[in-house]
Amino acid sequence: MIRKLLRRVFRRDPVSATAVSAIEPAIIPLAQHGISRDHISPASRRVCGTLQEAGFKAFVVGGAVRDLIAGITPKDYDVATDATPEQVRELFRRSRIIGRRFRIVHVMSGPETIEVSTFRALQSEDTHTDEHGRILADNVWGSQAEDATRRDFTINALYYDPSTETVIDYHHGVGDLKQKTLRMIGDPVTRYREDPVRMLRAVRMAAKLGLIIDPAARKPILELADLLENVPAARLFDEMLKLLTSGHAVACLKQLLAEGLHKGLLPLLDVILEQPMGERFVWLALENTDERVRAGKPISPGFLFATLLWHQVLANWEARKARGETSQPALFDAMSEVLDQQAEKLAITRKISADIKEIWALQPRFDRRAGKAPHRLLEQPRYRASYDFLRLRALSGEIPMELADWWNDFADANPDSRETMLVPDRDGAAKKRRRRRRKPGGAPSAGGDSSAE
Ligand code: ATP
Ligand code: MG
């Protein structure tokens, strides 16, 4: 019954807003869902309390409710209210209105930042969309039922009221969550056209919560994947980062590949995964990331993207050297070319690009184990990340494990034993000398090319 109504709603039936506002939600009591108010974060409790005391409706909404019901600790808390952004802003001293196309309020409370959004109305003929149906601005306020219907998946349209400890469920979200199904609210094709990022969200949510994407929501993805090209590269980057740092990067990327969605995000990934070594490296790096996230350790986006693109850099670097380019400048040119190709799809921020380049640029320096070079490398601020990267290269079989072990021991050793550990650059230096003698004018390499062997 509701599903039939929603089909009409998303076909922009003019009576729809009134019809949707008449949807009677299920009110689920504490005894059934088990989330008491002390399960939610202090800041989200405070924000809801302050808004309610001022006479507004206020609920914890979306991911946090979903995760709590699924037994996962929420990453952050969102609050939905019938107060306008200006009214919210007035109630909280430490708050600011952000966004232009989707205005919300950030309320800061202790270490937390709560995103407070005003109930959105259903889209109408006036909704500002582009020629593919993508919604460009979304700042028309509506009822709670409309707000629920505008959310993407049924499991994300759950509202938790801390004052009554009830969950308000407009679209059978709790049932779907229990049945491990990710179901779109409304017609999936229309909803993906409104916002193609929902395809990526589907993959991320399914991987994170171990859900099956409902066939109706899954089937159109292959056909609509190209719509991602139409999404601003900065938004895709944010979403990709969420996906890779979700603690389920391996599952997410596998699903992205299965759905054909990676093409619009990581255009180089296909090529990288075609080579067995590149494939091994990428999966190892993602497994390692997932382990770190799950253990609560920090991860660096620069490191992550550096791993995803490394084998493309290697191939490009090799090709340049084969054409007679000098090793070090060839590496830098390869790095820039790969990052530029990638930037067309994902806007990797300048800061992260700089981090990626640092990690790549330090790799040849691990080949030098004589003289002052190893000491200088240890002092590099990015030494740790670069070493972790080296270790992954060794684990994937690209370079000898002996090299990674040596650096591990060298870093741990005291200054005296470090001196005894230095490996006279027999191979590298002698080879280089010989090469130079054979090729007059041949420039020195970046410090050994074991990375390319
Ligand atoms: P997580 O925070 O774990 O990544 P989340 O579901 O909370 O997951 P957010 O991006 O924080 O994701 O969004 C909060 C809520 O806003 C979602 O649960 C959903 O109800 C709604 N939402 C977010 N993005 C969209 C979208 N693209 N289309 C429709 N609703 C969305
Ligand atoms: Mg969230």
Side-chain angles (χ1 to χ4, degrees), residues 62-63 66 151-152 156 195 198 201 204 208 242:
R66 173 200 70 211
R151 290 178 184 273
D152 45 9
N156 286 345
D195 182 6
R198 289 177 185 147
R201 288 178 54 86
R204 176 160 63 90
K208 169 174 168 173
K242 279 195 193 174

Side-chain angles (χ1 to χ4, degrees), residues 106-124:
H106 272 176
V107 178
M108 278 70 78
S109 174
E112 287 185 74
T113 297
I114 304 291
E115 284 196 356
V116 183
S117 60
T118 305
F119 293 153
R120 254 61 185 182
L122 284 172
Q123 60 166 316
S124 67

Side-chain angles (χ1 to χ4, degrees), residues 268 272 275 277-278 281-282 303-317 331 334-335 338 356-357 359-364 389-390 392-393 396 398-399 451-452:
L268 307 172
I272 294 167
Q275 319 143 3
M277 193 104 74
F281 185 70
V282 165
F303 186 88
L304 253 173
F305 283 100
T307 56
L308 289 176
L309 300 172
W310 171 242
H311 275 261
Q312 195 59 25
V313 172
L314 270 185
N316 192 311
W317 186 23
L331 171 61
M335 287 170 12
V338 169
I356 298 174
K357 283 187 176 170
I359 292 172
W360 286 342
L362 289 178
Q363 294 308 305
F389 195 88
L390 180 86
L392 278 176
R393 291 174 58 207
S396 71
E398 182 207 325
I399 53 166
S451 52

Side-chain angles (χ1 to χ4, degrees), residues 61-64 66-67 74-78 115 201 204-205 208 242:
V61 69
R66 173 200 70 211
D67 289 354
K75 189 163 56 58
D76 46 36
Y77 284 79
D78 302 300
E115 284 196 356
R201 288 178 54 86
R204 176 160 63 90
M205 307 277 158
K208 169 174 168 173
K242 279 195 193 174

